[in-house]
Amino acid sequence: MLIVAYIGFGTSVKRYHLPYVKRRKDIAKVKYIYRRQEDVEKEGIEEEIWYPDIQFTTDIEQVMKDKEVNLIVVNTPNQFHVDYSMMALENGKNVLCEKPFAQTVEDAEKVLEYAKSKNLIAMPNQNRRFDADMRTVQKVIQSGKLGDIVEFESHYDYFNKDRAMSKMFAWIEGIGIHPIDQVVGQFGIPKKVVYDCRSIDFPGEADTYWDIDMFYEHGMKAIVKTSMYVKLDYPKFIVHGKKGSFLMPSLGHQSSAAAKPGPVEISFDPLPEELWGTLSYVDENNQTITEKVPVEIGDYGLIYQNINEVLEGKAEKLISDEQTIAVLKIVKEAENVARYAR
């Protein structure tokens, strides 16, 4: 049984964690949410009453010294991820940390090695592996109908001039890390990566555009692309195999969903047919089959299920240490390419 404490009370906790943990009362219970005093004073306590079964506290020691708590979920600004992760490990707690797991590869390695030395779990919350569209793509690939995969293309596009014109290096680390991790989670660590990362409007001053090609054995390539200048809907995923192709439409950006008063409610209802994927392949009789593929249900709670199974000795971590480091290395090199773009 996971007894969970959150460090932080931002959108990530309220939208991407609590609604999914709520559905897994058999394996997880949220005991604490820690908030810094300055955050309480700035943001108020109105939303705390939405969660009467959770203890809110400004005393970090109360959380860390509670022997019942066995999982700390770090949901703070990026610069605090390593400090809180190390604090939790020092107090014998397993750690699930929001991405990026650390701001440098060296810090990530330090946290992972320390966790290993204490026989504890430390893992990034790469929840987009469990998106509805990605789970649908995984199901199609696993069916074998596409044959050997030769090309996998992922888009995380916007039409947002404000973002396009921003002068900062935060977008690959904040957005690009998701599809990069999806590729690594599906196909493993690439043998070669080629980068086109830059700002269209201010080269060398931001990382708002990227086209990252990840190469694998037997000629297979995965492409991760994002642009802030895509006005028309474009497939989220395009997958080509030796027997066929699959197109997965974009399901929209969750971050654009309007907030409502009260705890976030997540729908687990099936999505309409207009959002289903399209699969076309040649079957064993050399006949072309084209069919619609229903969208799988997205479920970010699967990562908690995995952690519980790891602690019970029934599974390995879904996001391995090697994958964590590989993804962070790709992200950091992509940022570096953007800094020197001209």
Side-chain angles (χ1 to χ4, degrees):
M1 182 78 173
L2 301 177
I3 306 300
V4 184
Y6 290 96
I7 308 299
F9 188 50
T11 299
S12 174
V13 171
K14 290 176 279 191
R15 179 172 287 181
Y16 305 131
H17 288 270
L18 292 177
Y20 297 93
V21 174
K22 178 182 176 182
R23 294 173 56 89
R24 286 179 165 78
K25 294 180 180 179
D26 58 325
I27 66 162
K29 172 190 173 184
V30 179
K31 186 169 185 179
Y32 294 107
I33 293 179
Y34 165 76
R35 304 177 70 196
R36 297 182 306 172
Q37 184 61 41
E38 54 263 47
D39 294 329
V40 173
E41 293 172 358
K42 179 181 178 182
E43 299 164 3
I45 62 172
E46 290 80 6
E47 295 184 8
E48 292 184 9
I49 64 173
W50 298 347
Y51 307 95
D53 298 329
I54 300 174
Q55 297 181 49
F56 285 81
T57 180
T58 57
D59 182 359
I60 192 65
E61 288 299 309
Q62 180 184 5
V63 174
M64 294 295 174
K65 300 304 181 184
D66 189 325
K67 294 182 180 180
E68 189 181 21
V69 173
N70 59 4
L71 178 65
I72 298 288
V73 184
V74 179
N75 291 81
T76 65
N78 297 352
Q79 65 266 31
F80 303 122
H81 285 184
V82 169
D83 290 344
Y84 280 117
S85 293
M86 291 296 287
M87 184 188 301
L89 294 169
E90 288 165 3
N91 283 277
K93 314 298 186 188
N94 299 289
V95 173
L96 179 65
C97 182
E98 277 302 325
K99 53 79 187 168
F101 186 70
Q103 291 189 295
T104 68
V105 172
E106 292 74 20
D107 278 347
E109 291 172 336
K110 178 180 72 174
V111 173
L112 293 171
E113 285 300 320
Y114 189 54
K116 191 178 297 183
S117 73
K118 300 202 68 171
N119 198 30
L120 293 167
I121 295 171
M123 190 164 67
N125 181 41
Q126 294 289 6
N127 60 336
R128 299 295 185 176
R129 292 192 184 192
F130 314 110
D131 276 345
D133 46 19
M134 186 61 199
R135 295 190 74 200
T136 307
V137 170
Q138 290 170 337
K139 181 179 179 180
V140 170
I141 292 174
Q142 290 166 5
S143 75
K145 292 178 179 179
L146 295 176
D148 294 334
I149 305 303
V150 298
E151 187 172 276
F152 176 96
E153 186 171 345
S154 167
H155 282 258
Y156 211 109
D157 296 319
Y158 296 81
F159 187 72
N160 190 317
K161 189 171 183 179
D162 289 339
R163 287 189 176 187
M165 299 292 285
S166 66
K167 293 184 179 182
M168 62 179 181
F169 293 93
W171 301 107
I172 296 175
E173 182 180 76
I175 296 174
I177 194 170
H178 290 308
I180 291 169
D181 177 76
Q182 288 174 334
V183 169
V184 170
Q186 181 66 38
F187 300 107
I189 298 169
K191 65 178 184 178
K192 183 178 75 171
V193 184
V194 176
Y195 304 85
D196 176 7
C197 307
R198 49 197 163 91
S199 164
I200 291 173
D201 300 286
F202 305 107
E205 298 182 63
D207 59 349
T208 52
Y209 171 90
W210 55 90
D211 182 340
I212 301 172
D213 293 351
M214 303 162 70
F215 293 85
Y216 291 84
E217 299 293 339
H218 310 297
M220 186 267 177
K221 180 173 74 169
I223 305 162
V224 172
K225 294 190 68 173
T226 289
S227 172
M228 303 299 172
Y229 287 123
V230 177
K231 186 70 172 72
L232 294 174
D233 285 340
Y234 199 86
K236 178 67 182 290
F237 294 107
I238 305 168
V239 189
H240 301 299
K242 290 185 177 180
K243 294 182 180 179
S245 297
F246 178 65
L247 301 181
M248 183 70 217
S250 172
L251 302 180
H253 297 291
Q254 291 190 35
S255 58
S256 63
K260 299 178 181 179
V264 173
E265 296 292 336
I266 302 296
S267 172
F268 287 84
D269 295 334
L271 292 177
E273 188 170 348
E274 59 262 28
L275 294 176
W276 292 7
T278 302
L279 171 64
S280 184
Y281 63 98
V282 177
D283 68 8
E284 62 275 11
N285 298 316
N286 205 33
Q287 299 295 309
T288 295
I289 307 296
T290 300
E291 58 192 33
K292 300 295 286 186
V293 179
V295 181
E296 294 293 295
I297 302 299
D299 187 358
Y300 298 156
L302 288 170
I303 202 162
Y304 287 89
Q305 187 171 311
N306 172 248
I307 292 171
N308 189 61
E309 290 174 353
V310 173
L311 293 179
E312 292 179 344
K314 298 177 180 178
E316 298 292 327
K317 292 194 301 184
L318 281 173
I319 299 99
S320 70
D321 293 354
E322 294 76 16
Q323 290 176 342
T324 298
I325 296 302
V327 168
L328 194 55
K329 284 182 176 180
I330 293 170
V331 167
K332 290 303 170 183
E333 180 58 26
E335 288 179 347
N336 189 56
V337 169
R339 289 181 188 278
Y340 289 94
R342 294 295 182 268

